[in-house]
């Protein structure tokens, strides 16, 4: 989260990014953790870490089960990372459909965190669709 916040402010932390990549391995190979790392690297220096981001985004897609990643909150972190990574809308669409199917009758996604993350994911996806249609 620190690297994401720094990246949002235009502050680069090469050592933090290199530490993440150097220490990434089986212990960290979880959908949520990987998504947060991808997002941090994108916000820090998308081009420099392009290969790592692309490879890990493909890994995330390979771990999808029934279009989601078990938990709503985790699925949202993954969807957001995939959108930021530039994954094609056709590859993200099944997960958006899955997410919408998880919405409760009262409009929420069970809890405040899942609901907030879901709304952010849906907005990011709509922005992605709108940017494609404007091209």
């Amino acid at each position: 989260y620190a690297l994401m916040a720094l990246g949002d402010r235009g502050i680069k932390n090469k050592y933090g990014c290199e530490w993440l990549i150097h220490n990434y391995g089986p212990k960290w190979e979880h959908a949520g953790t990987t998504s947060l790392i991808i997002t941090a690297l994108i916000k820090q220096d998308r081009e420099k870490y392009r290969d790592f981001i692309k490879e890990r985004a493909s890994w995330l897609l390979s771990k999808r089960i029934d279009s989601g990643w078990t938990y709503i909150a985790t699925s949202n972190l993954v969807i957001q990372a995939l959108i930021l990574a530039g994954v094609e809308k056709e590859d993200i669409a099944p997960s958006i459909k899955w997410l919408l199917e998880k919405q409760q009758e009262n409009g929420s996604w069970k809890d405040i965190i899942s609901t907030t993350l879901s709304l952010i994911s849906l907005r990011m996806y709509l922005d992605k669709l709108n940017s494609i249609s404007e091209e």
Side-chain angles (χ1 to χ4, degrees):
Y1 287 108
L3 288 172
M4 286 183 225
L6 289 170
D8 284 342
R9 299 286 302 147
I11 301 168
K12 304 299 178 195
N13 185 321
K14 175 185 170 188
Y15 300 108
C17 294
E18 295 298 326
W19 184 90
L20 276 178
I21 290 172
H22 176 74
N23 287 286
Y24 185 87
K27 287 184 181 180
W28 289 9
E29 222 169 34
H30 304 284
T33 304
T34 300
S35 298
L36 292 172
I37 291 169
I38 287 173
T39 300
L41 294 174
I42 289 168
K43 290 177 180 256
Q44 283 288 313
D45 192 338
R46 172 189 300 272
E47 194 53 37
K48 181 174 183 176
Y49 305 111
R50 176 179 35 111
D51 293 338
F52 182 90
I53 292 164
K54 184 178 179 182
E55 191 270 325
R56 292 290 84 198
S58 293
W59 179 83
L60 285 169
L61 285 169
S62 77
K63 297 302 174 188
R64 185 167 47 182
I65 300 168
D66 295 328
S67 300
W69 290 266
T70 308
Y71 302 105
I72 294 171
T74 301
S75 295
N76 277 296
L77 294 176
V78 176
I79 291 167
Q80 292 171 24
L82 294 175
I83 290 169
L84 291 173
V87 171
E88 297 295 325
K89 68 178 176 79
E90 294 81 15
D91 292 326
I92 298 170
S95 298
I96 295 296
K97 183 177 184 290
W98 176 90
L99 182 61
L100 290 169
E101 290 170 355
K102 298 295 181 187
Q103 189 175 21
Q104 307 291 298
E105 282 188 36
N106 68 3
S108 75
W109 280 265
K110 293 187 180 181
D111 58 66
I112 190 72
I113 293 171
S114 296
T115 300
T116 303
L117 289 170
S118 296
L119 293 172
I120 292 168
S121 296
L122 292 170
R123 179 57 195 231
M124 289 175 70
Y125 186 69
L126 287 174
D127 287 348
K128 180 178 183 67
L129 292 178
N130 288 334
S131 70
I132 292 169
S133 67
E134 292 173 2
E135 292 176 355

